Amino acid sequence: MGMIKLLAAPMRSIVRFPLFQLAVVVAVIMLLQAADDKSAFGQIFNGLDKLVDSTVRLFSAVFNVKSFTKSWLTSGFMIAYVYLACLLILSLVRVTIRAVVDFVGWSNAFGLRNAIARERGIAAYHAWVPFERIRPANIPQEKWEEAFAWPANNKPPYPPLAQRMLRRVTSYAAVVLVAAVLLQVFTPFSVLTWLGKLTKMLVG
């Protein structure tokens, strides 16, 4: 397992590079565009093209969109939609691989339970060492872990997924709103007016 991670480290660093991700997304778009309209890839591109066109028309109803801006919006939204789709696919692949590794470790298939447990134990120890460094000497290790790391009721010491997602969406919305206010006040762009029109169109 360690050798596999060592060999995959350079590849992972390349895949995480933003320019490489942009090149992959553009290559996917070109591949979809070059496909026959009757094929699966061609139908996917037609659906993507309609989605991008409807998004651009939605923005053109909010503010004035000319040819230069329209071309940039079309390219930007197409890249953004494909990028989000690739992120979703990679997330599903990551979850699937993690579930397969968990099953292999649980069932000891191919005799890999000890190797998987050793790698995860090392990762858990690396995460535990900084937590243990700040433990006061008068607090036993068991009480310290029960209070902050592994509660007695076996529930995770962090809020549920829905609550964490709500907090993240709220924080992102607050950042976007503050940025819109600053752009509205200090620049000639009427961002708040555009957002108001866009909200009315979506709600209406």
Side-chain angles (χ1 to χ4, degrees), residues 157-180:
Y158 47 81
L161 178 60
Q163 186 175 350
R164 284 180 285 151
M165 291 180 63
L166 180 61
R167 287 182 179 179
R168 184 167 297 183
V169 170
T170 304
S171 62
Y172 287 162
V175 170
V176 171
L177 182 60
V178 170

Side-chain angles (χ1 to χ4, degrees), residues 1-203:
M1 298 293 290
M3 183 61 67
I4 295 176
K5 287 186 176 181
L6 183 63
L7 294 175
M11 186 63 66
R12 292 173 62 184
S13 63
I14 294 175
V15 171
R16 291 176 179 175
F17 193 59
L19 289 179
F20 177 81
Q21 296 177 357
L22 178 61
V24 170
V25 170
V26 173
V28 170
I29 294 175
M30 298 298 292
L31 177 65
L32 294 176
Q33 186 178 14
D36 186 69
D37 291 338
K38 297 181 180 180
S39 63
F41 287 165
Q43 293 179 0
I44 291 175
F45 182 81
N46 291 335
L48 176 64
D49 193 29
K50 292 179 181 179
L51 178 62
V52 171
D53 184 64
S54 61
T55 307
V56 172
R57 282 192 283 107
L58 178 64
F59 274 82
S60 63
V62 176
F63 56 89
N64 188 19
V65 175
K66 295 184 179 180
S67 58
F68 181 78
T69 308
K70 184 177 181 180
S71 62
W72 277 100
L73 286 176
T74 303
S75 302
F77 280 120
M78 186 163 292
I79 292 174
Y81 284 140
V82 174
Y83 185 77
L84 290 176
C86 291
L87 284 181
L88 179 60
I89 294 173
L90 289 177
S91 299
L92 294 176
V93 171
R94 188 181 297 114
V95 170
T96 303
I97 293 176
R98 188 175 301 171
V100 171
V101 173
D102 290 343
F103 177 78
V104 170
W106 172 79
S107 63
N108 198 24
F110 311 107
L112 294 176
R113 176 185 293 166
N114 290 338
I116 295 173
R118 186 179 298 110
E119 290 294 328
R120 294 190 175 184
I122 292 173
Y125 182 78
H126 286 164
W128 172 82
V129 168
F131 169 71
E132 181 66 16
R133 285 175 183 166
I134 62 174
R135 177 175 64 87
N138 61 331
I139 300 180
Q141 180 178 340
E142 293 79 9
K143 296 293 183 182
W144 181 254
E145 293 179 357
E146 182 179 335
F148 301 104
W150 196 280
N153 56 6
N154 286 331
K155 291 184 178 180
Y158 47 81
L161 178 60
Q163 186 175 350
R164 284 180 285 151
M165 291 180 63
L166 180 61
R167 287 182 179 179
R168 184 167 297 183
V169 170
T170 304
S171 62
Y172 287 162
V175 170
V176 171
L177 182 60
V178 170
V181 171
L182 293 177
L183 290 173
Q184 180 84 14
V185 174
F186 296 104
T187 66
F189 300 104
S190 303
V191 180
L192 290 178
T193 305
W194 297 341
L195 288 178
K197 291 182 180 179
L198 183 61
T199 304
K200 289 181 180 179
M201 290 182 59
L202 295 176
V203 173

